[in-house]
Amino acid sequence: MLRHEFRPGKLVAGFFLTLAGITYAGDAGDAWDTPWFAVIPMVVGGLCLAGVVGLLTRAIRNRRDSRRTNTPPKVDQTPQPPIPH
């Protein structure tokens, strides 16, 4: 199974957008009454927080990568057979 890079900024953005969807769904289902303007700060605040988390993640990863040694990978030195033309 291929692994992917963990992106916490996308996780935060997805959480707040899901929360906004649940808020609208609860209002549509008459479970509670949500004012029309309540979801806008929730989404904008969540996207701003996701941006900050993304920037912090990038800064941490760049700092960690810069501390690693920059040695080139080892190249296989075994002789290869000639390529027929």
Side-chain angles (χ1 to χ4, degrees), residues 3-78:
R3 295 189 58 160
H4 63 280
E5 188 175 23
F6 178 62
R7 305 271 178 135
K10 289 184 179 185
L11 179 69
V12 171
F15 171 76
F16 277 95
L17 291 174
T18 302
L19 185 64
I22 290 170
T23 303
Y24 272 130
D27 186 35
D30 289 331
W32 55 78
D33 187 29
T34 305
W36 65 270
F37 56 85
V39 175
I40 294 170
M42 186 185 319
V43 170
V44 172
L47 290 176
C48 288
L49 183 62
V52 169
V53 170
L55 287 174
L56 284 173
T57 303
R58 183 176 180 185
I60 290 169
R61 286 186 179 154
N62 284 343
R63 183 176 174 173
R64 185 181 63 206
D65 290 342
S66 68
R67 288 192 295 185
R68 292 184 180 169
T69 59
N70 292 330
T71 57
K74 293 186 178 185
V75 180
D76 187 18
Q77 297 293 331
T78 58

